[in-house]
Amino acid sequence: MRHEYLERTQWRSLDELVAIQTGALRRLVRHAYAHVPFYRQRFRQADITEADIKSPEDLRKLPVLTREDARERASDRESVAYPFPTVRKNTGGTTGQPLLFGYDNDSEYWRQAIKLRGYGWAGYHPGDRALYFWGSPTPPGFDFSKARAKVLLDRFMRRETYVPCTVMTEADLRHVVRLLKRNTPKVVVCYTQAAAELARFINRNQLRGWGTIPVLCGAERLFPADRAELERAFGPAVFETYGCREVMLIASECEAHEGLHVSMENILVEIVVTDPDGRERPAREGETGEVVITDLHNLGMPFIRYKNGDLAVAGPADRCPCGRHLSRIAKVEGRAADLLKGADGSFVSGVAFHVLFTGLANAARQFQVVQHRDRSVTLRIVPGDGLDDTSLESIRRGCSQLLKELPVRIETTPEIPLTKEGKRRTVIVEA
Ligand SMILES: [Zn+2]
């Protein structure tokens, strides 16, 4: 079983883990070169063959696969020999056009096993009583082994509670608190922003009536202020996970809470910085770069050096205090698309607003920054108890520091709705 294998490999030395990655990478590259028209062409254009990729470093000889390439050349990226893509999906349409992609059965088993291990670090085990506070009404499926599927499924259905977090009125939030008190789940699995909202509601109304419940956050970035709210509402066991629909779980936080461990046995992650001369290089520790992923076990429709549009901070190279050598991402910064353009053409990361509002949590419970096509900015805030002329002035001053001379309009609003997928977008750049 892959899960048992992963339970063992997580304790291997870095050299052994890199050897495992290298083996899987060479197999993937051999297959892609021989049987995937898009990659055969790519190799030829780069004037290399499969034999030139012997190690993860050698991958840099290939250009990155952009989202646009992946979308436009979808049929060429399918394998023409076994294994074929058997699972087909597309990315959600919150930004831009959806991307169609596929993967084979073996890749699906790896994805499930990686998820089980990552969730296990937060103390979640299949069969545990879990509350899913999730964006879609369909459960984020675990793979049930075929023979015992029915039995397991029944047990799961009794033990797992799903609450869609897409619509959240005060009555809905109270309902979730009642469920938490009645069922006391062993773990809460949630969309980050929706759970942070729930935590703020619990803290504001002093509704916490339970000990520590581990919280597994996914689908969105976890900001320090939100983590603090979650820790107040559920205890210190808050775990961030990072993934994307195309490859599922990429990295997850361990019990040491010092960054996110990359699922090295299934995914090869590069964090890439482009220097002013246009040359690419790996990010140094603590440096922000673009996330580039290679999905090691998807031969059916390979993703090799795929730039998924996220930014992340490279983690420390040394061993984590938990004892694992699996490499680490220090922080996930979110989508590269969430960059505002300043008046002088410079870019302002949406993350800067989170830093600004962390210090003003009393004044603004939530915020959303919208940059319009003429580059002017509307800042929406949900006022908190502490919103007064002084704090409003601080917000105004902070914004003008970030955005230089761009015109900013501040609006207050009773709530900022989530997207239909249940996500909160704090930065919207209108195209
Ligand atoms: Zn660790």
Side-chain angles (χ1 to χ4, degrees):
M1 288 293 287
R2 287 171 188 78
H3 181 219
E4 286 151 22
Y5 170 79
L6 292 172
E7 286 296 325
R8 290 196 303 275
T9 52
Q10 64 179 327
W11 303 110
R12 297 276 164 82
S13 70
L14 188 58
D15 283 350
E16 286 173 285
L17 287 163
V18 171
I20 289 172
Q21 268 197 324
T22 306
L25 176 66
R26 292 182 70 166
R27 173 172 164 262
L28 171 72
V29 163
R30 256 195 323 271
H31 182 86
Y33 184 73
H35 304 300
V36 181
F38 174 82
Y39 281 107
R40 177 171 272 273
Q41 193 185 16
R42 276 246 151 152
F43 275 73
R44 284 194 178 143
Q45 280 164 355
D47 206 19
I48 55 172
T49 71
E50 42 126 348
D52 292 300
I53 312 272
K54 293 191 178 71
S55 69
E57 289 76 42
D58 288 340
L59 259 185
R60 280 181 245 146
K61 294 174 186 168
L62 275 176
V64 295
L65 172 70
T66 63
R67 234 178 112 86
E68 290 70 40
D69 289 338
R71 195 171 55 232
E72 282 162 19
R73 306 286 305 275
S75 58
D76 275 354
R77 287 201 311 103
E78 290 191 19
S79 172
V80 295
Y82 180 85
F84 304 107
T86 46
V87 185
R88 289 178 189 278
K89 288 186 179 169
N90 61 60
T91 57
T94 42
T95 48
Q97 289 170 281
L99 162 72
L100 303 171
F101 63 93
Y103 49 91
D104 57 63
N105 286 345
D106 189 49
S107 177
E108 168 69 10
Y109 299 140
W110 279 100
R111 288 163 192 235
Q112 296 298 341
I114 289 288
K115 185 170 172 174
L116 271 181
R117 181 177 71 180
Y119 280 27
W121 293 343
Y124 175 93
H125 303 287
D128 281 350
R129 209 160 49 242
L131 179 89
Y132 281 84
F133 195 45
W134 207 254
S136 86
T138 41
F142 276 108
D143 184 44
F144 304 105
S145 83
K146 285 191 184 91
R148 297 172 57 218
K150 181 83 176 58
V151 181
L152 279 172
L153 191 65
D154 286 343
R155 193 193 306 161
F156 271 65
M157 295 322 273
R158 278 202 303 274
R159 295 204 147 257
E160 301 200 339
T161 312
Y162 292 91
V163 182
C165 66
T166 43
V167 187
M168 280 189 303
T169 61
E170 188 159 324
D172 293 326
L173 292 169
R174 283 195 189 281
H175 169 67
V176 182
V177 172
R178 267 199 305 276
L179 281 174
L180 283 163
K181 285 188 172 156
R182 199 175 62 209
N183 297 351
T184 329
K186 265 200 86 179
V187 63
V188 173
V189 184
C190 58
Y191 268 32
T192 309
Q193 290 297 315
E197 174 96 9
L198 171 68
R200 279 190 286 272
F201 175 78
I202 291 166
N203 297 335
R204 203 164 54 238
N205 298 294
Q206 301 186 333
L207 299 173
R208 179 172 172 181
W210 48 79
T212 295
I213 304 176
V215 179
L216 254 161
C217 299
E220 292 159 294
R221 185 180 162 189
L222 175 60
F223 292 99
D226 294 335
R227 186 188 283 267
E229 292 279 355
L230 286 164
E231 286 178 352
R232 236 181 101 196
F234 296 100
V238 176
F239 295 84
E240 183 174 10
T241 64
Y242 169 54
C244 65
R245 252 177 99 69
E246 294 90 319
V247 298
M248 297 198 16
L249 200 60
I250 296 169
S252 28
E253 193 171 323
C254 69
E255 61 276 16
H257 304 284
E258 290 191 15
L260 285 75
H261 285 288
V262 172
S263 324
M264 285 176 73
E265 300 92 333
N266 190 44
I267 307 271
L268 199 153
V269 173
E270 300 168 75
I271 298 178
V272 174
V273 175
T274 308
D275 281 329
D277 63 2
R279 238 178 297 189
E280 279 180 6
R281 62 171 172 82
R284 289 184 277 267
E285 180 179 330
E287 205 177 13
T288 304
E290 293 180 285
V291 175
V292 173
I293 44 190
T294 297
D295 191 8
L296 293 169
H297 295 284
N298 180 9
L299 272 53
M301 193 167 173
F303 278 107
I304 301 176
R305 296 209 83 208
Y306 172 58
K307 195 155 81 172
N308 72 351
D310 289 337
L311 298 173
V313 180
D318 55 352
R319 186 186 203 176
C320 179
C322 74
R324 294 179 187 89
H325 289 281
L326 291 165
S327 61
R328 279 182 286 167
I329 292 175
K331 209 159 55 170
V332 181
E333 292 280 22
R335 297 180 54 82
D338 293 343
L339 289 173
L340 284 77
K341 290 184 199 73
D344 54 359
S346 61
F347 289 97
V348 182
S349 165
V351 173
F353 287 92
H354 285 271
V355 176
L356 170 67
F357 280 99
T358 299
L360 292 159
N362 267 334
R365 277 167 37 205
Q366 285 166 17
F367 71 93
Q368 186 174 56
V369 185
V370 184
Q371 183 164 44
H372 308 288
R373 289 173 75 171
D374 63 1
R375 292 205 182 170
S376 71
V377 171
T378 302
L379 173 68
R380 298 186 184 126
I381 52 178
V382 178
D385 298 336
L387 186 69
D388 55 17
D389 289 348
T390 319
S391 51
L392 208 54
E393 186 45 38
S394 306
I395 293 172
R396 218 182 290 277
R397 222 178 21 246
C399 281
S400 63
Q401 264 168 18
L402 289 172
L403 297 166
K404 310 285 175 351
E405 56 266 37
L406 285 183
V408 180
R409 193 172 57 239
I410 299 181
E411 289 174 359
T412 58
T413 170
E415 66 164 341
I416 293 166
L418 301 177
T419 66
K420 66 179 193 306
E421 291 85 12
K423 295 193 180 184
R424 173 167 320 288
R425 297 198 58 203
T426 49
V427 174
I428 295 174
V429 179
E430 291 179 346

